[in-house]
């Protein structure tokens, strides 16, 4: 402790405030009115044995209504939920897109893009969503109108969205990662991973870092502020990483590979904690808000509970969709106890009690006009995406020399940006207003003349090119052209 | 038997109960649902800092009844709205801060008015409001609001009226300032000597002289009500006890102090405004060094007044600007200036500490907000909470480079900026010189003396 009384008083004050914060947080628990779901077995029963049909018998009709299957033709389907879990977006590989309020079963929009679709992603809310199509990424609004065609995102494979930064992230077939700010349209960062086509992409929601899975079995971590990967982990040696999921608290990562294994990683140490064999190569995983893990292989989906603490012997729940329809994507619906499955023959929604957070954390149902304005105002800079989030708001403990150097660099940058006034060329002599005016007029005329001349040249060149093109196109007609004598005769007649 | 329950919400809980109802904000404090907490707070603090600068419009009004430079002013500590100003022509205006208008314009003295003060009603045992004025014509006059109201008759608004004072006293020597006692029907005047007067006597009841030529200002201590503090043109600051016959203590600073005020919350401390453009806070028990030096003005400080909260004081200066200092802060929080404002001869912090009133040489009385960006409108509780939250955030990130830069930035006139730079060069050169001398002399021959001590030349008892 220093001797500075003022600092000590401030520290004492801060301690009191911290205590008060904790007290209010504890008191605030009463303000969370909703209760979480659960599924418990008694005696010899096992939760895995309960099928959806059996659960339906014990659940209220509000929940039962939301267990449904959709038979659709243009599969396999990629799916996405909005951040508040109200809207569902389905995108068939063959170009079918539909968006719905899935609990009310009301269709918002449905259309076809007549092109291959690889992935789909809601932006800030249901008003806009991005679609990774055959060649470019497109942004549509909730009426199905095309708003933007993002030509910088060539051949996109995966889409992700960072809601606090307003950044749309695409991983392209060539292995490029592109970050685009959707509020300004500015491309924030373009990174070449140099590792070929990516096989999976996942976002760590706690720090905004992107995890990219590769064909050689590695997972690389990326931030828009670095041209190279932050961390390389070899997860499934020489087997493509088919899917990556990261727990909501940002501590655990689950990867699956074509080697039919599922591995749980501790992201604080980058160490494999548990290693599971799956019955076949798993192609989709997801982790719910409450930490339930869903894994799919073929037409089966398994849900695991408490998988991070110790190695589990059997899943918490299991479900099979239609025979012969393998599942492409599975996603837990936020703030609900449901799991959405996009497969070859459509979409299924199944209930997984205890998966979702019961209490909302933002104005979920309210008209979001004002909330959106505040979100834009509080948009974070891409520089806040870093592995160690705890560093923001702490003291910069870099040494004096480093700080001094940084300061100098900043100053140099500022000086270089500063506009320097060009010195007037002064000739000593008698300056007459008539001459200066004549000179300025002459300069103006010259400028005009130059621009006119350039335009004329452009026009002339364009005309000539067009003429040449027409001549080329009509070259095949030459054979049909009337001979000169005939032509004259025709004219005479 | 299977025990199962899934999340099942009643949609009505998430709707407005009535048309006027406010939508309930759902907030779940679970940190995993609220990522980037610190970064978002930082962003909010940054926005708050920017918004503060956008909304900082401190100037409220200019009152232009006076036709000559304003020399002095006094606020009524028992009222939120009353204050009086006096000018070079000998005219006094009584103002209402709320309506921004004058209710009496008094032709009071023949020459400049040098001192104005309100009498504490408890001290004079009256329900009437009294105030005292002193002028270059060697008169001290006591004015009563009731008398003025009676005499006003049907004089037009803003019309100068030669009211009769309730009482008047003539001094044998010249007069500068006047200040009223807090507890008794007494007042003190400064001039070539310090005199203490009783209401009932035509001559001063005591005189204090310590060989000074001109005592500029004086102030009674609000708590130890027998103590008077004065500053004189021979660079001295002097402490008197009216129970004794001789002054108590005197210190000399490097330059003349032109104004002074007691801290109303810690009345052992006082601040003097010096002609070397600094303010000095002193503890009256320990006068051999200043408690704090408040720097930022670029020219002599002419007037000073404490906020009734005791946390801040405002100063008016010869450099045509007003500054607000924290009582324990070396640098100013705020600077106010306008194109047309000249040297600020008098200044007062309003009794609700929301406004600052300044009177300057350009004949205008100006009203300013004490917090430039605060709104004066009545606010909803949610609005208040939002402002409290952003203030807290600004405090939290006050040491962050970017936010500090925005909050610290104040636009000042070119002249002040220039002088600031010159002053910076001067102090640097002085420090360099001292360091050079120290480096080339015997170790210990030139001890380090803190600036707070250096500024005090001499202490006499």
């Amino acid at each position: 402790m220093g001797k500075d009384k003022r600092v000590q008083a401030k520290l004492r004050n801060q301690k009191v405030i911290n205590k008060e914060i904790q007290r209010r947080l504890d008191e605030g628990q009463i303000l969370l009115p909703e209760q979480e779901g659960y599924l418990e077995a008694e005696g010899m029963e096992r939760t895995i044995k309960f099928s959806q049909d059996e659960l339906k018998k014990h659940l209220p009709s509000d929940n039962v209504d939301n267990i449904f299957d959709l038979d659709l033709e243009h599969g396999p389907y990629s799916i996405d939920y909005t951040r508040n879990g109200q809207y569902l977006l389905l995108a068939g590989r063959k170009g079918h897109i539909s968006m719905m309020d899935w609990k009310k079963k009301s269709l918002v929009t449905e259309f076809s893009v007549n092109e291959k679709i690889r992935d789909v992603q809601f932006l800030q809310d249901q008003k806009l969503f991005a679609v990774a199509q055959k060649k470019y990424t497109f942004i549509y609004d909730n009426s199905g109108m095309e708003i933007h065609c993002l030509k910088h995102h060539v051949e996109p494979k995966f889409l992700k969205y960072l809601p606090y930064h307003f950044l749309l992230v695409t991983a392209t077939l060539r292995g490029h990662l592109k970050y685009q700010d959707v509020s300004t349209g500015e491309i924030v960062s373009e990174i070449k991973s140099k590792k070929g086509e990516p096989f999976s992409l996942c976002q760590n929601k706690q720090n905004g870092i992107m995890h990219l899975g590769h064909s050689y079995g590695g997972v690389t971590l990326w931030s828009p502020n670095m041209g190279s990967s932050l961390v390389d982990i070899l997860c499934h040696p020489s087997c493509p990483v088919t899917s990556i999921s990261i727990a909501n608290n940002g501590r655990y990562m689950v990867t699956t590979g074509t080697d039919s294994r599922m591995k749980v990683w501790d992201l604080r140490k980058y160490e494999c904690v548990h290693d599971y064999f799956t019955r076949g190569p798993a192609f989709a995983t997801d982790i719910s808000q409450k930490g339930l893990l869903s894994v799919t292989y073929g037409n089966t989906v398994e849900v695991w509970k408490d998988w991070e603490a110790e190695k589990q012997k059997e899943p918490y729940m299991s479900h099979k969709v239609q025979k012969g329809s393998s599942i492409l994507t599975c996603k837990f619906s936020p703030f609900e106890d449901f799991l959405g499955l996009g497969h070859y023959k459509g979409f299924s929604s199944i209930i997984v009690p205890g998966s979702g957070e019961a209490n909302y954390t933002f104005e979920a149902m309210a008209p979001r006009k004002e909330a959106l304005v505040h979100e834009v105002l509080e948009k974070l800079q891409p520089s806040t995406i870093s592995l160690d989030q705890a560093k923001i708001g702490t003291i910069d403990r870099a040494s004096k020399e480093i700080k001094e150097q940084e300061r100098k660099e900043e100053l140099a940058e500022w000086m270089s940006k500063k506009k320097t006034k060009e010195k007037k060329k002064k000739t000593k002599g008698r300056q007459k207003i008539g001459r200066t005016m004549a000179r300025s007029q002459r300069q103006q005329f010259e400028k005009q003349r130059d621009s006119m001349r350039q335009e004329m040249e452009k026009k002339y060149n364009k005309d000539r090119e067009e003429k040449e093109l027409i001549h080329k196109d009509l070259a095949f007609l030459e054979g049909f052209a009337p001979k000169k004598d005939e032509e004259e005769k025709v004219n005479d007649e | 038997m299977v025990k199962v329950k899934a999340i099942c919400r009643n949609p009505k809980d998430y709707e407005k109960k009535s048309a006027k109802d406010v939508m309930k904000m759902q907030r779940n404090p679970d940190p995993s649902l609220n990522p980037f907490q610190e970064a978002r707070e930082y962003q909010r603090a940054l926005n708050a800092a920017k918004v503060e600068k956008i909304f900082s419009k401190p100037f409220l009004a200019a009152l232009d009844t006076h036709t000559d430079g304003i020399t002095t002013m006094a606020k009524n500590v028992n009222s939120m709205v009353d204050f009086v100003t006096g000018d070079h022509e000998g005219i006094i205006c009584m103002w209402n801060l709320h309506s921004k208008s004058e209710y009496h314009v008094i032709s009071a003295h023949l020459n400049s008015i040098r001192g104005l003060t309100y009498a504490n009603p408890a001290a004079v045992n009256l329900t009437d409001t009294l105030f005292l004025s002193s002028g270059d014509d060697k008169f001290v006059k006591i004015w009563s609001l009731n008398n003025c109201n009676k005499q006003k008759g049907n004089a037009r608004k803003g019309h100068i009226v030669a009211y009769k004072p309730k009482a008047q006293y003539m001094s044998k020597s010249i007069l500068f300032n006047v200040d009223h006692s807090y507890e008794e029907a007494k007042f003190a005047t400064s001039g070539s000597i310090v005199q203490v007067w009783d209401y009932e006597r035509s001559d001063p009841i005591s005189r204090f002289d310590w060989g000074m030529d001109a005592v500029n200002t004086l102030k009674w201590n609000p708590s130890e009500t027998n103590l008077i503090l004065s500053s004189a043109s021979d660079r001295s600051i002097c402490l008197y006890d009216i129970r004794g016959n001789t002054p108590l203590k005197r210190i000399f600073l490097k330059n003349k102090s032109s104004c002074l005020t007691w801290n109303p919350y810690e009345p052992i401390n006082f601040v003097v405004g010096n002609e070397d453009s600094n303010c000095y806070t002193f503890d009256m028990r320990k006068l051999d060094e200043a408690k704090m030096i408040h720097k930022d003005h670029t020219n002599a400080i002419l007037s000073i007044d404490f906020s009734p909260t005791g946390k801040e004081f405002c100063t008016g200066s010869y450099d045509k600007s007003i500054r607000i200092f924290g009582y324990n802060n070396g640098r100013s929080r705020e600077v106010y200036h306008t194109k047309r404002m000249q040297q600020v001869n008098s200044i007062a912090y309003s009794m609700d500490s929301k406004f600052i009133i300044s009177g300057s040489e350009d004949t205008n009385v100006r009203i300013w907000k004490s917090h430039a960006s605060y709104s004066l409108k009545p606010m909803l509780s949610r609005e208040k909470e939002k402002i409290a939250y952003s203030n807290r955030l600004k405090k939290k990130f006050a040491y962050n480079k970017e936010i500090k830069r925005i909050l610290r930035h104040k636009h000042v006139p070119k002249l002040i900026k220039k002088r600031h730079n010159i002053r910076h060069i001067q102090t640097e050169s002085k420090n360099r010189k001292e360091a050079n001398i120290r480096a080339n002399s015997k170790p210990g021959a030139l001890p380090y003396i803190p600036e707070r001590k250096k500024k005090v030349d001499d202490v006499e008892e």
Side-chain angles (χ1 to χ4, degrees):
Chain A
M1 281 287 225
K3 277 179 190 171
D4 194 333
K5 277 183 187 169
R6 261 200 266 179
V7 173
Q8 279 188 345
K10 270 184 191 172
L11 284 175
R12 265 201 306 275
N13 203 1
Q14 191 57 44
K15 268 183 197 167
V16 175
I17 289 170
N18 289 347
K19 242 184 204 174
E20 177 66 13
I21 288 171
Q22 196 51 48
R23 192 186 65 78
R24 285 194 193 181
L25 266 181
D26 295 343
E27 272 186 2
Q29 293 295 325
I30 332 165
L31 298 174
L32 303 175
E34 303 288 348
Q35 283 183 341
E36 280 148 25
Y38 53 81
L39 173 64
E40 281 165 15
E42 279 182 350
M44 295 292 284
E45 287 172 328
R46 284 143 66 202
T47 50
I48 192 173
K49 292 290 173 193
F50 299 129
S51 69
Q52 294 288 314
D53 290 333
E54 246 174 283
L55 289 178
K56 271 183 192 176
K57 289 174 204 161
H58 300 280
L59 286 166
S61 65
D62 281 358
N63 286 337
V64 174
D65 288 348
N66 293 336
I67 304 172
F68 60 88
D69 292 308
L70 296 176
D71 290 329
L72 301 165
E73 290 171 4
H74 306 280
Y77 275 84
S78 306
I79 62 167
D80 193 31
Y81 290 100
T82 48
R83 285 204 293 152
N84 60 8
Q86 195 183 356
Y87 292 91
L88 169 69
L89 191 61
L90 299 175
R93 175 73 48 87
K94 286 168 194 153
H96 168 232
I97 289 175
S98 79
M99 182 172 124
M100 62 187 91
D101 186 330
W102 66 282
K103 280 175 280 182
K104 288 181 187 162
K105 314 283 181 307
S106 68
L107 192 67
V108 180
T109 183
E110 186 169 32
F111 60 98
S112 176
V113 296
N114 297 324
E115 214 175 34
K116 190 176 179 182
I117 294 176
R118 295 198 191 88
D119 200 2
V120 75
Q121 172 72 45
F122 270 117
L123 301 188
Q124 205 68 15
D125 53 15
Q126 81 281 4
K127 293 274 168 62
L128 290 174
F129 57 89
V131 182
Q133 283 173 221
K134 193 180 170 193
K135 202 166 180 194
Y136 303 124
T137 305
F138 289 78
I139 292 180
Y140 298 93
D141 75 352
N142 59 352
S143 68
M145 188 159 65
E146 182 188 317
I147 304 290
H148 297 294
C149 169
L150 310 177
K151 291 201 171 172
H152 280 280
H153 305 246
V154 188
E155 295 180 325
K157 189 168 183 192
F158 297 110
L159 295 175
K160 282 284 175 282
Y161 184 67
L162 299 164
Y164 296 106
H165 301 81
F166 282 74
L167 287 178
L168 176 69
V169 189
T170 55
T172 64
L173 285 179
R174 292 178 199 170
H176 296 186
L177 264 182
K178 308 210 172 187
Y179 290 77
Q180 185 157 23
D181 189 326
V182 296
S183 64
T184 60
E186 181 195 5
I187 289 199
V188 170
S189 169
E190 287 177 282
I191 309 167
K192 291 172 185 171
S193 72
K194 294 175 191 166
K195 297 209 159 110
E197 188 189 330
F199 272 70
S200 44
L201 178 70
C202 186
Q203 179 202 152
N204 186 340
K205 282 178 185 160
Q206 288 301 314
N207 54 19
I209 298 284
M210 288 292 158
H211 293 225
L212 204 57
H214 302 286
S215 58
Y216 68 92
V219 171
T220 48
L221 275 58
W222 301 87
S223 95
N225 311 312
M226 277 265 278
S228 55
S229 61
L230 304 170
V231 181
D232 289 18
I233 318 165
L234 189 59
C235 294
H236 302 271
S238 67
C239 290
V241 181
T242 50
S243 80
I244 309 171
S245 308
I246 295 163
N248 239 18
N249 56 18
R251 284 185 198 141
Y252 292 95
M253 173 172 78
V254 175
T255 59
T256 56
T258 49
D259 53 357
S260 296
R261 283 167 113 174
M262 178 175 83
K263 290 183 182 177
V264 180
W265 299 82
D266 188 337
L267 282 180
R268 291 165 291 190
K269 295 186 281 184
Y270 301 109
E271 249 179 31
C272 181
V273 190
H274 307 298
D275 190 351
Y276 294 86
F277 281 98
T278 51
R279 267 180 248 166
F283 282 102
T285 53
D286 192 29
I287 297 171
S288 80
Q289 284 173 325
K290 280 285 163 198
L292 296 194
L293 167 69
S294 67
V295 193
T296 68
Y297 37 82
N299 66 343
T300 315
V301 58
E302 280 177 356
V303 181
W304 294 78
K305 202 179 178 185
D306 301 331
W307 45 272
E308 64 273 66
E310 55 183 291
K311 197 168 174 180
Q312 297 292 319
K313 279 173 188 159
E314 66 171 14
Y316 171 61
M317 284 175 79
S318 169
H319 179 73
K320 276 184 183 177
V321 297
Q322 287 158 283
K323 224 173 188 183
S325 170
S326 68
I327 300 167
L328 181 77
T329 46
C330 64
K331 262 177 193 166
F332 282 101
S333 149
F335 303 104
E336 291 293 341
D337 276 344
F338 288 89
L339 174 65
L341 305 165
H343 47 85
Y344 274 79
K345 289 181 181 167
F347 169 79
S348 311
S349 171
I350 64 166
I351 194 159
V352 182
S355 68
E357 176 61 53
N359 293 293
Y360 287 116
T361 190
F362 42 80
E363 274 176 299
M365 312 292 204
R368 300 208 350 108
K369 249 188 223 163
E370 204 190 323
L372 194 64
V373 171
H374 282 284
E375 276 169 9
V376 176
L377 278 174
E378 284 164 19
K379 185 177 82 173
L380 300 182
Q381 291 307 308
S383 54
T384 54
I385 299 175
S386 70
L387 270 178
D388 194 1
Q389 278 299 309
K391 265 208 173 140
I392 298 172
T394 52
I395 297 165
D396 183 6
R397 292 190 190 277
S399 68
K400 236 182 191 177
E401 291 86 44
I402 293 172
K403 274 184 193 167
E404 184 63 22
Q405 202 185 338
E406 278 174 357
R407 202 183 61 83
K408 271 181 191 166
E409 276 168 14
E410 242 166 59
L411 196 72
E413 199 187 19
W414 183 73
M415 290 297 277
S416 67
K417 269 186 195 169
K418 212 176 163 188
K419 279 177 196 164
T420 46
K421 248 190 187 174
E422 272 183 35
K423 270 191 181 173
K424 264 188 186 170
K425 206 175 181 183
K426 270 189 181 170
T427 48
K428 284 197 176 168
R430 294 167 92 192
Q431 202 176 24
K432 280 177 185 164
I433 189 71
R435 269 190 214 162
T436 30
M437 278 176 69
R439 191 168 59 227
S440 69
Q441 216 164 26
R442 199 164 58 232
Q443 281 169 350
Q444 226 169 10
F445 280 144
E446 267 169 23
K447 259 186 199 170
Q448 270 182 359
R449 211 178 294 150
D450 275 350
S451 65
M452 274 163 83
R453 196 177 288 147
Q454 278 173 2
E455 258 176 45
M456 293 279 278
E457 256 173 39
K458 251 188 206 169
K459 210 179 169 190
Y460 175 73
N461 286 341
K462 211 180 168 186
D463 282 354
R464 220 176 60 179
E465 273 172 24
E466 271 179 11
K467 265 182 195 171
E468 275 174 10
L469 266 176
I470 291 167
H471 276 293
K472 257 186 203 171
D473 286 351
L474 296 179
F476 70 95
L477 282 174
E478 271 175 16
F480 300 102
K483 283 170 189 170
K484 269 201 173 169
D485 315 350
E486 283 171 18
E487 206 175 341
E488 275 164 19
K489 268 179 201 171
V490 173
N491 283 346
D492 287 344
E493 280 166 12
Chain B
M1 251 323 266
V2 54
K3 266 192 190 170
V4 61
K5 187 196 166 292
I7 297 166
C8 194
R9 298 188 186 91
N10 183 3
K12 275 187 184 166
D13 293 347
Y14 296 89
E15 285 168 4
K16 284 183 184 178
K17 300 280 182 293
S18 66
K20 279 186 181 174
D21 198 9
V22 178
M23 192 67 206
K24 198 182 156 198
M25 185 80 175
Q26 301 292 328
R27 188 171 293 286
N28 190 338
D30 185 357
S32 71
L33 290 172
N34 302 290
F36 300 106
Q37 205 60 279
E38 201 73 17
R40 277 154 73 197
E41 271 192 352
Y42 166 74
Q43 193 63 36
R44 275 179 210 147
L46 188 65
N47 290 347
K50 286 177 184 173
V51 165
E52 184 192 306
K53 285 291 155 189
I54 291 168
F55 284 108
S56 61
K57 295 200 167 63
F59 182 66
L60 289 177
L63 316 174
D64 58 354
T65 303
H66 283 289
T67 51
D68 209 336
I70 291 157
T71 50
T72 178
M73 71 164 60
K75 65 182 176 190
N76 185 355
V77 290
N78 292 299
S79 154
M80 287 288 192
V81 290
D82 283 357
F83 68 98
V84 289
T85 54
D87 69 9
H88 280 304
E89 279 184 329
I91 288 175
I92 295 174
C93 275
M94 294 180 72
W95 299 96
N96 185 317
L97 179 61
H98 177 67
S99 63
K100 290 172 199 155
S101 63
E102 71 281 1
Y103 41 83
H104 292 300
V105 184
I106 308 167
S107 167
H109 292 266
L110 288 176
N111 296 330
S112 279
I113 289 167
R114 291 293 173 190
L116 276 172
T117 176
Y118 270 94
N120 190 358
V124 294
N125 223 346
L126 282 172
T127 50
D128 194 8
T129 306
L130 299 186
F131 67 92
L132 283 69
S133 67
S134 65
D136 274 355
D137 57 1
K138 296 185 184 174
F139 273 107
V140 175
K141 295 184 181 178
I142 302 181
W143 307 89
S144 133
L145 183 60
N146 287 354
N147 278 5
C148 288
N149 286 342
K150 267 182 216 161
Q151 289 173 37
K152 191 174 183 185
N154 49 8
R156 270 188 300 118
K157 187 176 170 276
H159 195 76
I160 302 168
V161 182
Y163 296 107
K164 273 181 196 157
K166 190 178 158 77
Q168 60 181 12
Y169 304 87
M170 194 176 159
S171 162
K172 277 169 191 154
S173 52
I174 53 157
L175 285 183
F176 283 141
N177 205 354
V178 61
D179 197 34
H180 201 278
S181 162
Y182 284 84
E183 275 195 340
E184 291 166 293
K186 283 178 188 171
F187 59 90
T189 58
S190 68
S192 53
I193 52 169
V194 170
Q195 300 168 332
V196 182
W197 305 70
D198 195 309
Y199 274 28
E200 308 299 328
R201 307 268 187 89
S202 58
D203 284 328
I205 50 171
S206 50
R207 292 189 170 88
F208 297 96
D209 192 2
W210 204 344
M212 312 157 192
D213 1 315
V215 182
N216 301 319
T217 54
L218 85 175
K219 280 271 150 64
W220 293 74
N221 187 314
S223 127
E224 287 293 325
T225 48
N226 291 314
L227 283 183
I228 298 176
L229 185 75
S230 78
S231 71
S233 56
D234 61 350
R235 305 180 284 118
S236 69
I237 295 164
C238 193
L239 209 56
Y240 309 89
D241 190 334
I242 58 163
R243 290 166 295 192
N245 293 324
T246 50
L248 283 179
K249 240 183 197 181
R250 170 160 82 159
I251 53 167
F252 286 92
L253 301 184
K254 295 273 184 206
N255 290 66
K256 183 185 142 193
S257 304
S258 39
C259 50
L260 48 87
T261 180
W262 291 96
N263 183 337
Y265 250 67
E266 297 167 344
I268 44 167
N269 298 335
F270 63 88
V271 188
V272 296
N274 202 279
E275 287 201 336
D276 66 357
S277 80
N278 295 340
C279 291
Y280 299 92
T281 302
F282 281 98
D283 185 337
M284 73 170 171
R285 300 165 300 182
K286 202 177 167 218
L287 289 170
D288 56 337
E289 70 173 306
K291 266 184 84 148
M292 176 71 79
I293 305 177
H294 311 271
K295 296 173 176 177
D296 253 354
H297 274 297
T298 56
N299 219 326
I301 290 165
L302 302 177
S303 50
I304 192 164
D305 192 33
F306 243 104
S307 146
T309 58
K311 293 281 179 201
E312 281 180 337
F313 62 87
C314 54
T315 55
S317 162
Y318 197 81
D319 65 12
K320 303 175 186 176
S321 69
I322 296 165
R323 281 182 190 267
I324 305 170
F325 292 88
Y327 78 110
N328 57 359
N329 221 331
R331 291 283 171 188
S332 66
R333 168 172 75 76
E334 196 68 81
V335 54
Y336 296 158
H337 54 84
T338 66
K339 252 183 190 169
R340 292 177 186 172
M341 189 162 73
Q342 297 299 314
Q343 63 189 65
V344 186
N345 288 333
S346 55
I347 200 159
Y349 223 117
S350 80
M351 285 312 290
D352 53 1
S353 83
K354 278 185 181 167
F355 304 99
I356 288 169
I357 310 150
S358 72
S360 45
E361 201 61 28
D362 59 309
T363 77
N364 278 323
V365 174
R366 288 188 172 78
I367 302 171
W368 311 80
K369 286 193 273 184
S370 63
H371 286 269
S373 61
Y374 281 12
S375 168
L376 295 176
K377 287 179 206 159
M379 279 188 283
L380 295 171
S381 63
R382 282 186 297 152
E383 230 170 335
K384 277 181 204 162
E385 271 168 28
K386 167 88 207 279
I387 286 170
Y389 177 57
S390 46
N391 283 345
R392 180 72 213 168
L393 283 181
K394 271 183 266 175
K395 219 185 244 176
K396 181 177 175 185
F397 289 96
Y399 300 102
N400 181 287
K401 212 160 74 186
E402 205 170 355
I403 288 167
K404 194 161 79 182
R405 185 182 62 80
I406 294 170
L407 288 178
R408 206 178 46 187
H409 175 79
K410 269 143 216 147
H411 176 255
V412 288
K414 220 178 214 173
L415 192 69
I416 293 180
K417 176 91 184 146
K418 235 183 222 170
R419 283 188 186 215
H420 237 284
N421 291 346
I422 292 171
R423 187 151 290 218
H424 182 69
I425 293 166
Q426 281 172 342
T427 44
E428 266 200 344
S429 129
K430 219 180 259 175
N431 292 345
R432 197 168 50 234
K433 190 173 180 185
E434 204 184 297
N436 284 343
I437 295 172
R438 189 166 284 128
N440 289 301
S441 52
K442 224 180 186 181
L446 209 67
Y448 286 97
I449 304 167
E451 200 186 355
R452 287 175 289 133
K453 216 165 215 174
K454 237 191 248 176
K455 294 285 181 180
V456 182
D457 253 2
D458 197 7
V459 186
E460 289 177 11
E461 304 226 1

